Amino acid sequence: MAVGGIQSGVGLSLQLVEAALDEIAASVRLRALPEPSSHTALVVSGVESSEVARSLGRVLVGLLLGAVRCNVSLAAALLVGGADDREQLAGDVVELIGANNSFVTDGEILFRDTKRNAWLAEGLLHVLLILQNRDPGELLGGRIHALRQMHPIPTQQGFDAVALYVRGDVLSLAIGESKASRLDGSGQLTQAAKIFKSLDSGDHLRHLRQELMALEGYLSAELAGQVANSVLKQRCYVPSIVHEVPFDARRDRVTLKDLTPPREHKRLLIIRLQDFHGFFDAVADAMREAVTEIVV
């Protein structure tokens, strides 16, 4: 993702985003658990360091500003620049994650648990997918050619992540569903499985086809020709569960076993945090700081 020929302050900002991606890639690891027959369980480690939290905050601000294109390459320029845009971005960030990490009232706690943390967890999933192309064997097992931009607001309807990638010589579709719960990772996995089950039943296909039409333009002519005929059949489900209290990801789960894709196309990301709220607080702080670092 080299940024060639960019000498302006915007270029330096993009280099900051690229360096942040490098930091995350160097720190985060995925390890497959051999036990489940119902799904492929991938333990994600290395996300809780202060360096990764800072870098994740920078990348998320960059994603808000279009720093990564839908073809998973770094953009040639950010969508903003200057004091006015920086002020607007600061307001957007506060709306997304709050002005600070003080959540006392019931309403503030509800915002933290159902909006802020949910959006940050979705952002983490997107960053892991972006980094997939640095090691295609890790998350999906193939190179991503198009990735839908993440939701700009926490409550926006639709799939949390949609990507087109090549596994072998076949264009495949990855659909991600992100959940964040300090106490109930297992229950959130069940909720994610229900969404995938509805897809298996034929629900949301019109929405999914719209997503594919939007991404098709980022594919080569050869790959674009596979979209209409085969990609809906080549589905990979990617539930991503961020949690603190452990749950047993090694056991078989009927809710995942009953889904249409084979085991290797049901890829559960298990992201256990030692300090659930502390991690999200650190990423939120990094996002607020990144506003002045990224927009120059």
Short mmCIF file of all heavy atoms in Angstrom, two decimals, residues 167-194:
data_model
loop_
_atom_site.label_atom_id
_atom_site.label_comp_id
_atom_site.label_asym_id
_atom_site.label_seq_id
_atom_site.Cartn_x
_atom_site.Cartn_y
_atom_site.Cartn_z
N ARG A 167 -10.46 -17.36 -3.58
CA ARG A 167 -9.94 -18.54 -2.88
C ARG A 167 -9.67 -19.59 -3.94
O ARG A 167 -10.61 -20.06 -4.59
CB ARG A 167 -10.94 -19.04 -1.84
CG ARG A 167 -10.45 -20.21 -1.00
CD ARG A 167 -11.54 -20.66 -0.04
NE ARG A 167 -11.17 -21.83 0.72
CZ ARG A 167 -10.63 -21.81 1.93
NH1 ARG A 167 -10.42 -20.63 2.52
NH2 ARG A 167 -10.32 -22.91 2.56
N GLY A 168 -8.42 -19.96 -4.13
CA GLY A 168 -8.07 -20.77 -5.28
C GLY A 168 -8.21 -19.88 -6.52
O GLY A 168 -7.63 -18.83 -6.62
N ASP A 169 -9.05 -20.33 -7.44
CA ASP A 169 -9.34 -19.52 -8.62
C ASP A 169 -10.78 -19.03 -8.62
O ASP A 169 -11.26 -18.51 -9.63
CB ASP A 169 -9.09 -20.34 -9.91
CG ASP A 169 -7.62 -20.70 -10.09
OD1 ASP A 169 -6.77 -19.87 -9.73
OD2 ASP A 169 -7.34 -21.83 -10.56
N VAL A 170 -11.46 -19.19 -7.50
CA VAL A 170 -12.90 -18.93 -7.46
C VAL A 170 -13.18 -17.65 -6.67
O VAL A 170 -12.69 -17.47 -5.55
CB VAL A 170 -13.65 -20.12 -6.81
CG1 VAL A 170 -15.14 -19.83 -6.74
CG2 VAL A 170 -13.39 -21.39 -7.62
N LEU A 171 -13.97 -16.79 -7.26
CA LEU A 171 -14.41 -15.58 -6.55
C LEU A 171 -15.40 -15.97 -5.48
O LEU A 171 -16.38 -16.71 -5.73
CB LEU A 171 -15.06 -14.60 -7.53
CG LEU A 171 -15.46 -13.24 -6.95
CD1 LEU A 171 -14.22 -12.43 -6.57
CD2 LEU A 171 -16.31 -12.47 -7.94
N SER A 172 -15.18 -15.51 -4.27
CA SER A 172 -16.02 -15.87 -3.13
C SER A 172 -16.49 -14.61 -2.42
O SER A 172 -15.89 -13.54 -2.55
CB SER A 172 -15.25 -16.77 -2.16
OG SER A 172 -14.83 -17.96 -2.79
N LEU A 173 -17.54 -14.76 -1.65
CA LEU A 173 -18.16 -13.66 -0.93
C LEU A 173 -18.02 -13.88 0.56
O LEU A 173 -18.39 -14.95 1.08
CB LEU A 173 -19.65 -13.58 -1.31
CG LEU A 173 -20.56 -12.70 -0.46
CD1 LEU A 173 -20.19 -11.23 -0.64
CD2 LEU A 173 -22.02 -12.93 -0.84
N ALA A 174 -17.47 -12.90 1.27
CA ALA A 174 -17.37 -12.96 2.73
C ALA A 174 -18.34 -11.95 3.33
O ALA A 174 -18.37 -10.78 2.91
CB ALA A 174 -15.95 -12.67 3.20
N ILE A 175 -19.13 -12.40 4.29
CA ILE A 175 -20.08 -11.54 4.99
C ILE A 175 -19.73 -11.57 6.46
O ILE A 175 -19.72 -12.63 7.09
CB ILE A 175 -21.53 -12.01 4.77
CG1 ILE A 175 -21.84 -12.09 3.27
CG2 ILE A 175 -22.52 -11.09 5.47
CD1 ILE A 175 -23.14 -12.80 2.96
N GLY A 176 -19.41 -10.40 7.01
CA GLY A 176 -19.02 -10.32 8.40
C GLY A 176 -20.11 -9.75 9.29
O GLY A 176 -20.83 -8.84 8.87
N GLU A 177 -20.22 -10.30 10.48
CA GLU A 177 -21.15 -9.78 11.48
C GLU A 177 -20.36 -9.61 12.78
O GLU A 177 -19.83 -10.57 13.34
CB GLU A 177 -22.32 -10.74 11.69
CG GLU A 177 -23.36 -10.27 12.69
CD GLU A 177 -24.08 -8.99 12.26
OE1 GLU A 177 -24.15 -8.71 11.04
OE2 GLU A 177 -24.56 -8.25 13.15
N SER A 178 -20.28 -8.36 13.25
CA SER A 178 -19.47 -8.03 14.42
C SER A 178 -20.36 -7.86 15.66
O SER A 178 -21.40 -7.21 15.60
CB SER A 178 -18.69 -6.74 14.16
OG SER A 178 -18.05 -6.28 15.32
N LYS A 179 -19.91 -8.43 16.77
CA LYS A 179 -20.61 -8.30 18.05
C LYS A 179 -19.59 -7.99 19.14
O LYS A 179 -18.47 -8.50 19.13
CB LYS A 179 -21.36 -9.59 18.41
CG LYS A 179 -22.42 -10.02 17.40
CD LYS A 179 -23.60 -9.08 17.38
CE LYS A 179 -24.70 -9.59 16.47
NZ LYS A 179 -25.84 -8.62 16.38
N ALA A 180 -20.00 -7.16 20.10
CA ALA A 180 -19.13 -6.82 21.23
C ALA A 180 -19.94 -6.90 22.51
O ALA A 180 -20.96 -6.21 22.66
CB ALA A 180 -18.55 -5.42 21.06
N SER A 181 -19.51 -7.76 23.43
CA SER A 181 -20.19 -7.90 24.71
C SER A 181 -19.18 -8.37 25.75
O SER A 181 -18.53 -9.41 25.56
CB SER A 181 -21.33 -8.91 24.61
OG SER A 181 -21.89 -9.19 25.88
N ARG A 182 -19.05 -7.62 26.82
CA ARG A 182 -18.08 -8.00 27.86
C ARG A 182 -18.43 -9.33 28.49
O ARG A 182 -17.55 -10.17 28.76
CB ARG A 182 -18.00 -6.92 28.94
CG ARG A 182 -16.87 -7.15 29.95
CD ARG A 182 -16.75 -6.02 30.93
NE ARG A 182 -17.78 -6.06 31.94
CZ ARG A 182 -17.71 -6.79 33.06
NH1 ARG A 182 -16.64 -7.54 33.31
NH2 ARG A 182 -18.69 -6.77 33.94
N LEU A 183 -19.73 -9.57 28.74
CA LEU A 183 -20.15 -10.73 29.52
C LEU A 183 -20.70 -11.89 28.70
O LEU A 183 -20.65 -13.03 29.15
CB LEU A 183 -21.23 -10.30 30.54
CG LEU A 183 -20.84 -9.22 31.53
CD1 LEU A 183 -22.03 -8.84 32.40
CD2 LEU A 183 -19.68 -9.68 32.41
N ASP A 184 -21.26 -11.61 27.52
CA ASP A 184 -22.07 -12.63 26.84
C ASP A 184 -21.60 -12.87 25.41
O ASP A 184 -22.35 -12.72 24.46
CB ASP A 184 -23.54 -12.20 26.85
CG ASP A 184 -24.47 -13.29 26.34
OD1 ASP A 184 -24.10 -14.48 26.45
OD2 ASP A 184 -25.56 -12.96 25.83
N GLY A 185 -20.35 -13.27 25.25
CA GLY A 185 -19.86 -13.59 23.93
C GLY A 185 -20.62 -14.72 23.28
O GLY A 185 -20.93 -14.68 22.08
N SER A 186 -20.95 -15.75 24.05
CA SER A 186 -21.67 -16.90 23.50
C SER A 186 -23.04 -16.50 22.98
O SER A 186 -23.45 -16.92 21.88
CB SER A 186 -21.82 -17.98 24.58
OG SER A 186 -22.49 -19.11 24.06
N GLY A 187 -23.76 -15.70 23.74
CA GLY A 187 -25.08 -15.26 23.30
C GLY A 187 -25.01 -14.38 22.07
O GLY A 187 -25.87 -14.47 21.18
N GLN A 188 -23.99 -13.56 21.98
CA GLN A 188 -23.82 -12.71 20.80
C GLN A 188 -23.47 -13.53 19.57
O GLN A 188 -23.87 -13.20 18.45
CB GLN A 188 -22.76 -11.65 21.06
CG GLN A 188 -23.18 -10.59 22.07
CD GLN A 188 -24.46 -9.88 21.64
OE1 GLN A 188 -24.51 -9.29 20.58
NE2 GLN A 188 -25.49 -9.96 22.47
N LEU A 189 -22.72 -14.62 19.75
CA LEU A 189 -22.45 -15.51 18.64
C LEU A 189 -23.74 -16.15 18.13
O LEU A 189 -23.95 -16.28 16.92
CB LEU A 189 -21.45 -16.59 19.07
CG LEU A 189 -21.15 -17.67 18.03
CD1 LEU A 189 -20.66 -17.08 16.72
CD2 LEU A 189 -20.13 -18.67 18.59
N THR A 190 -24.63 -16.51 19.04
CA THR A 190 -25.92 -17.06 18.64
C THR A 190 -26.71 -16.04 17.83
O THR A 190 -27.34 -16.38 16.82
CB THR A 190 -26.73 -17.48 19.88
OG1 THR A 190 -26.01 -18.51 20.58
CG2 THR A 190 -28.11 -17.99 19.50
N GLN A 191 -26.67 -14.78 18.24
CA GLN A 191 -27.38 -13.73 17.50
C GLN A 191 -26.78 -13.55 16.11
O GLN A 191 -27.51 -13.37 15.13
CB GLN A 191 -27.32 -12.41 18.28
CG GLN A 191 -28.10 -12.42 19.58
CD GLN A 191 -29.57 -12.76 19.36
OE1 GLN A 191 -30.24 -12.20 18.49
NE2 GLN A 191 -30.07 -13.69 20.16
N ALA A 192 -25.47 -13.59 16.01
CA ALA A 192 -24.83 -13.48 14.70
C ALA A 192 -25.22 -14.65 13.81
O ALA A 192 -25.51 -14.48 12.61
CB ALA A 192 -23.31 -13.42 14.86
N ALA A 193 -25.27 -15.86 14.38
CA ALA A 193 -25.64 -17.04 13.60
C ALA A 193 -27.06 -16.92 13.07
O ALA A 193 -27.36 -17.41 11.97
CB ALA A 193 -25.49 -18.29 14.46
N LYS A 194 -27.94 -16.29 13.82
CA LYS A 194 -29.32 -16.11 13.36
C LYS A 194 -29.37 -15.24 12.11
O LYS A 194 -30.18 -15.47 11.21
CB LYS A 194 -30.16 -15.48 14.47
CG LYS A 194 -30.48 -16.43 15.62
CD LYS A 194 -31.33 -15.74 16.68
CE LYS A 194 -31.66 -16.68 17.82
NZ LYS A 194 -32.47 -15.99 18.88
#
